């Protein structure tokens, strides 16, 4: 954890320094490094050329200054100079890519807090677009791109293509399709990227049914083949991504697309497999038979080393592990993990949250299905060097320990949890205490458990100090008291009783019985009466049973007997009569 | 009725050969029997097919068809005692004429009984019958067949009950085989969503091709139905994922032909896409070595082993161009003070590590220009220079 924080801190320091250098370049001109290190010199973000010329326009385009370039272009046109087609096209590129807005200049310095796609919510994400695109239609009507597009005298296919791509990127789908029709009317040819964008446009069109959309996509592909445009990996990945929206209908077309890709000889990337998995395992409904396609996929790609070919490549492992966890198949999970460790594939694990998701699912599956020794070995390996477990993961591990009857590891787990920041997670603490307090254990273990319980108690107390309303769960109180008793720390155990009253929580029956046992063991009737008084204070039904026990087992004086009788008398008259009878009998 | 039979069916073929010693051969034998044609109507043909196979078995031991091969092998080992009786039967069967007609069983009963007699004999020879042939299996056969079987049993000299049960069992087997094949495809289709999706697209060929696989698994009688189902589906899906209909839109040849790629500078789209791709594999640096690698790539760290001339190319000139500068003195007089002076100049220049070759030549040029300009002074002093 610290190492990651440290790295992040270093990186942010670097970024801040770079920002300052670029802000005041004139102070940082001294260059004594031999050979010259370009990346340490200040970068120039302001255009140098001031006169109105095409070179100035090119410079502004290069510097990605959208507004300045548009102004320069307008000035050039007003001055009457023609702008070359190439420059116009690159201006169109700039406008279309950024949607007529300035590119965010300081995205170096902000963590990209765009909506991270948690794969668990893929249902919602089908409607949302990827983090790069904005939601909704962001292509303003009659914006500069269209205006300049109209102004260019001779448009070549590249102009059309870049306009179509821009429109699709910013979700002006109908216009994109119309522009494509215009392109065909002018007998120009679109390139493969344009077709990719058009496929995406067809699939995003909200008004049509899935079958129609699929037919449209097929039409586009046929046109592509007719115009002899070679499809690339992006084409097929786009198709598969769009088929995800069609849910069950998309499965057969998806497989057909996959086979087509292989038949042509385009090697599928991890993103391809990710889309196929999402296509088949989207609705996690175990009542329907789940597809077995994940096994085919894993058989296909085991041992293969991948290189990044698609920006979605890093989503594969997350979805694969999600499927393994859903199918409860440990063998498959091992296979996926093996693939992760082949060659350089580990780099495809993605950013932090995806890595955490992957390992959480993997470890939970291990806890569920694997033998405890192997699980503990994985625990040592993975935690904390690879990922930090959530409290739910730790609870899974505890349950696995419980099943395998290895409860002696619990104090160690608690110690580790404190380091991972789970000190104040009440569900985790309750689980630990409950598991420890449930059964009797050999004495050394009891001592260890009692130490652990004392530790947890201190965390509760420190939590109290911070919060105004102290909140100890009743279960925890019960368990801690029991553990103290069993380990022979009777002093502290009796203190716990006091805490019950303080926090207004009701002690359990078993607990009171154990206290009674301990009082008997230490042969102190005062303590026994204490217990009864406590029970009486809470008006517990067990109070009578306890009273009787006190009467039976302890040698108590007459006043004490009367006090006991008084305690139980409010409950019922007959009981007190019977009590007095019993006491008479004794 | 029928579904129940088919449900129980998986175990039946196995129980057919319980005493056959060849364990692994049993499934193979069952498989082979499964190649039988459909339909109860053709059981008669099956029975008659037995003739064909019997004939070959009896007449030519070497060329036994695969179907009966295993069975005969198993049983021969067990029943070598019956060799002499076999010979008698052989003679009988050789004399018989085979009629492959689908005539009604009852009408051909007289002749069929004779034929069936030999069948029965071979069956006896080839198979040890379990005494406890389940009675309910006979129910699925048509009553005519049952009647025929019982009639045969009456005729044959062997134990009536066992022969009848054996005969019926054989017929039953064929019945089940045909039913299995009928149901096999149906059962498979109801197994998973994928198959149900594929049903419309897939032709019967797929069913036929996977049927033997399916049948073998049924015959092996895996106790875990799920695993059998999943492995079966897995196998069929395995084929389905990679083999199956594709879109057939693109042509492999058209796609792989080398089109002349015009060299264009990467557009903004390409650059941004490349940046995104690079970000896919981005991981925080794992250790100090990774950090040093990154710095070396940035240029912040020198490359090891240290190269003194890193980043300095000297415009490709060699050491001799720096040192042997006499070549550039050819325009100067060969003797005299000017030459002397210029030799000193070249000596100094050759020892100068800071100037490039071009700069050194420029120096010498400057001197030449200078002397050219000062010709009159030189002439006054009587020094030759041209």
């Amino acid at each position: 954890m610290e190492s990651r924080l440290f790295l992040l801190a270093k990186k942010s320091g670097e970024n801040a320094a770079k920002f300052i250098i670029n802000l005041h370049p004139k102070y940082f001109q001294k260059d004594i490094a031999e050979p010259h290190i370009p990346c340490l010199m200040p970068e120039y973000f302001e255009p140098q050329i001031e006169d109105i010329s095409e070179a100035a326009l090119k410079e502004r385009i290069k510097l990605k200054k959208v507004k300045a370039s548009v102004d320069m272009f307008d000035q050039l046109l007003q001055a009457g100079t023609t702008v070359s087609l190439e420059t116009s096209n690159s201006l169109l590129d700039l406008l279309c890519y950024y949607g007529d807005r300035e590119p965010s200049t300081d995205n170096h310095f902000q963590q990209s807090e765009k909506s991270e796609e948690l794969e668990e919510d893929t249902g919602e994400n089908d409607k949302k677009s990827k983090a790069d695109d904005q939601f909704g239609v962001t292509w303003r009507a009659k914006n500069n791109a269209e205006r300049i597009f109209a102004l260019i005298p001779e448009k070549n296919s590249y102009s059309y293509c870049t306009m179509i791509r821009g429109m699709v990127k910013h979700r002006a789908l109908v216009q994109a399709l119309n522009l494509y029709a215009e392109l065909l009317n002018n007998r120009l040819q679109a390139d493969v990227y344009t077709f990719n964008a058009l496929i995406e446009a067809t699939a995003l069109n909200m008004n049509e049914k899935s079958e129609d959309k699929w037919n449209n996509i097929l039409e586009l592909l046929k046109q592509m083949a007719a115009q002899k445009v070679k499809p690339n990996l992006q084409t097929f990945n786009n198709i598969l991504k769009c088929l995800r929206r069609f849910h069950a209908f998309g499965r057969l077309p998806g497989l057909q697309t996959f086979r087509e890709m292989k038949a042509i000889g385009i090697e599928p990337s991890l993103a391809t497999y990710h889309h196929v998995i999402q296509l088949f395992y989207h609705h996690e409904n175990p009542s329907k038979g789940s597809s077995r396609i994940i096994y085919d996929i894993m058989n296909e790609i085991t041992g293969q080393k991948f290189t990044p070919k698609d920006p979605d490549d890093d989503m594969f492992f997350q979805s694969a592990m999600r499927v393994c966890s859903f199918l409860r198949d440990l063998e498959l999970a091992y296979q996926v993990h093996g693939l992760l460790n082949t060659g350089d594939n580990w780099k495809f694990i993605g950013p932090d949250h995806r890595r955490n998701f992957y390992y959480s699912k993997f470890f939970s599956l291990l806890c569920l299905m694997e033998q405890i020794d192997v699980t503990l070995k994985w625990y040592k390996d993975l935690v904390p060097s690879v990922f930090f477990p959530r409290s739910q993961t730790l609870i899974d591990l505890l349950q696995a320990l419980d099943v395998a009857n290895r409860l002696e590891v619990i104090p160690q787990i608690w110690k580790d949890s404190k380091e991972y920041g789970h000190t104040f997670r009440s569900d985790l603490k309750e689980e630990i205490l409950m598991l420890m307090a449930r059964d009797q254990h050999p004495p050394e273990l009891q001592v260890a458990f009692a130490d652990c319980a004392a530790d947890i108690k201190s965390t509760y107390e420190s939590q109290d100090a911070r919060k105004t309303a102290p909140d100890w769960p009743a279960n925890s109180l019960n368990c801690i008291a029991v553990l103290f008793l069993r380990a022979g720390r009777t002093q502290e155990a009796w203190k716990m009783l006091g805490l019950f009253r303080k926090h207004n929580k009701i002690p359990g029956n078993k607990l009171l019985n154990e206290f009674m046992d301990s009082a008997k063991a230490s042969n102190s009737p005062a303590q026994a009466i204490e217990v009864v008084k406590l029970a009486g204070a809470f008006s517990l039904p067990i109070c009578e049973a306890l009273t009787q026990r006190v009467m039976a087992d302890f040698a108590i004086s007459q006043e004490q007997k009367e006090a006991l009788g008084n305690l139980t008398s409010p409950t019922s008259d007959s009981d007190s009569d019977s009590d007095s009878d019993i006491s008479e009998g004794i | 009725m029928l579904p129940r039979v088919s449900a129980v069916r998986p175990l039946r073929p196995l129980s057919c050969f319980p005493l056959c010693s060849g364990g692994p051969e049993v499934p193979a034998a069952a498989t082979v029997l499964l190649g039988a044609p459909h339909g109860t109507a053709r059981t008669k043909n099956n029975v008659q097919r037995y003739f064909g196979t019997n004939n070959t078995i009896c007449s030519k031991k070497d060329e036994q068809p695969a179907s009966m091969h295993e069975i005969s092998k198993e049983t021969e080992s067990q029943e070598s005692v019956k060799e002499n009786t076999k010979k008698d039967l052989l003679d009988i069967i050789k004399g018989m004429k085979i009629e492959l007609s689908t005539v009604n069983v009852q009408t051909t009963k007289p002749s069929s009984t004779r034929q069936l007699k030999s069948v029965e004999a071979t069956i006896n020879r080839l198979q040890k019958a379990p005494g406890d042939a389940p009675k309910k299996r006979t129910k699925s056969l048509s009553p005519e067949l049952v009647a025929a079987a019982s009639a045969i049993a009456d005729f044959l000299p062997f134990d009536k009950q066992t022969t009848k049960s054996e005969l019926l069992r054989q017929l039953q087997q064929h019945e089940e085989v045909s039913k299995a094949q009928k149901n096999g495809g149906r059962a498979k289709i109801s197994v998973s969503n994928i198959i149900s999706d594929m049903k419309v697209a897939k032709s019967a060929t797929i069913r036929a091709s996977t049927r033997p696989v399916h049948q073998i698994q049924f015959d092996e009688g895996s106790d875990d139905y799920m695993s059998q189902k999943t492995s079966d589906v897995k196998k069929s899906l395995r084929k389905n994922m990679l083999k199956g209909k594709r879109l057939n839109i693109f042509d492999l040849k058209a796609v792989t032909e080398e089109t002349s790629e015009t060299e264009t500078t990467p557009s903004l789209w390409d650059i941004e896409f490349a940046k995104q791709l690079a970000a896919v594999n981005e991981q925080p640096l794992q250790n100090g070595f990774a950090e040093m690698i990154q710095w070396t790539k940035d240029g912040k760290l020198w490359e090891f082993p240290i190269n003194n001339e890193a980043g300095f190319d000297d415009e490709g000139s060699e050491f001799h161009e720096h040192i042997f500068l006499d070549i550039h003195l050819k325009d100067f007089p060969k003797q005299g003070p000017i030459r002397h002076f210029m030799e000193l100049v070249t000596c100094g220049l050759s020892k100068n590590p800071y100037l490039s070759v071009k700069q050194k030549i420029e120096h010498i040029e400057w001197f030449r220009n200078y002397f050219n300009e000062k010709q009159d002074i030189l002439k006054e002093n009587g020094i030759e220079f041209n």
Side-chain angles (χ1 to χ4, degrees), chain A residues 523-575:
Chain A
N523 225 352
S524 107
Q527 285 181 344
I529 296 185
E530 239 346 278
V531 176
V532 179
K533 276 205 199 133
L534 188 67
F538 284 110
S539 304
L540 291 175
I542 197 181
C543 187
E544 291 161 30
L546 286 175
T547 322
Q548 286 173 11
R549 212 174 137 193
V550 168
M551 304 283 192
D553 293 341
F554 292 86
I556 43 182
S557 65
Q558 192 57 31
E559 313 91 55
Q560 286 170 329
K561 276 192 207 163
E562 280 174 16
L564 278 176
N566 288 340
L567 264 180
T568 53
S569 57
T571 55
S572 67
D573 290 337
S574 57
D575 281 346

Side-chain angles (χ1 to χ4, degrees), chain B residues 205-244:
Chain B
T205 52
I206 300 263
R207 279 204 294 154
S209 60
T210 54
R211 211 181 289 138
V213 174
H214 187 67
Q215 293 301 319
I216 287 177
Q217 291 181 337
F218 266 123
D219 291 333
E220 280 170 1
S222 52
D223 37 26
D224 187 4
Y225 184 64
M226 267 304 291
S227 68
Q228 164 211 320
K229 175 178 83 167
T230 56
S231 58
D232 177 33
V233 172
K234 203 198 305 190
K235 279 189 196 168
S236 53
L237 253 190
R238 175 91 186 114
K239 296 182 184 177
N240 285 350
M241 181 168 174
L242 290 179
K243 297 172 196 164

Side-chain angles (χ1 to χ4, degrees), chain A residues 189 214 226 298 354 388:
Chain A
Q189 185 156 336
W214 175 241
M298 287 317 295
R354 272 194 216 131
F388 269 99

Side-chain angles (χ1 to χ4, degrees), chain A residues 282-420:
Chain A
H282 176 68
H283 295 295
E284 297 183 5
N285 195 349
S287 61
K288 302 193 268 180
S290 28
S291 160
R292 294 291 160 182
I293 202 144
I294 182 76
Y295 294 103
D296 292 339
I297 294 180
M298 287 317 295
N299 285 340
E300 182 85 7
I301 61 179
T302 302
Q304 216 175 327
K305 299 187 186 158
F306 288 95
T307 53
K309 291 204 207 117
D310 186 295
D312 281 333
D313 277 345
D314 56 356
M315 309 201 10
F316 168 74
F317 283 105
Q318 185 182 4
S319 46
M321 190 48 78
R322 179 176 67 84
V323 170
C324 292
S325 157
F326 166 63
L327 290 176
R328 302 257 193 282
D329 191 342
L330 190 60
E331 278 305 314
L332 191 65
Y334 278 138
Q335 223 178 342
V336 172
H337 198 65
L339 181 67
L340 183 66
N341 289 335
T342 335
D344 272 344
N345 290 352
W346 62 273
K347 293 191 192 158
F348 285 104
I349 192 69
D352 271 353
H353 65 281
R354 272 194 216 131
R355 178 189 14 241
N356 275 338
F357 179 84
Y358 174 88
Y359 280 109
S360 298
K361 288 270 178 206
F362 184 43
F363 191 65
S364 298
L365 192 60
L366 279 172
C367 292
L368 201 57
M369 314 262 317
E370 181 65 275
Q371 286 178 5
I372 192 65
D373 289 327
V374 181
T375 310
L376 283 175
K377 202 164 75 67
W378 277 105
Y379 175 71
K380 277 201 203 34
D381 285 340
L382 290 180
V383 176
S385 40
V386 178
F387 82 111
F388 269 99
R390 296 178 293 189
S391 56
Q392 185 54 43
T393 317
L394 285 172
I395 291 179
D396 288 340
L397 175 63
L398 288 170
Q399 281 168 356
L401 286 173
D402 187 21
V403 164
N405 217 2
R406 292 280 296 269
L407 295 174
E408 65 268 13
V409 188
I410 291 189
Q412 177 65 34
I413 306 273
W414 166 246
K415 215 152 55 81
D416 292 340
S417 326
K418 277 200 295 181
E419 283 173 21
Y420 313 147

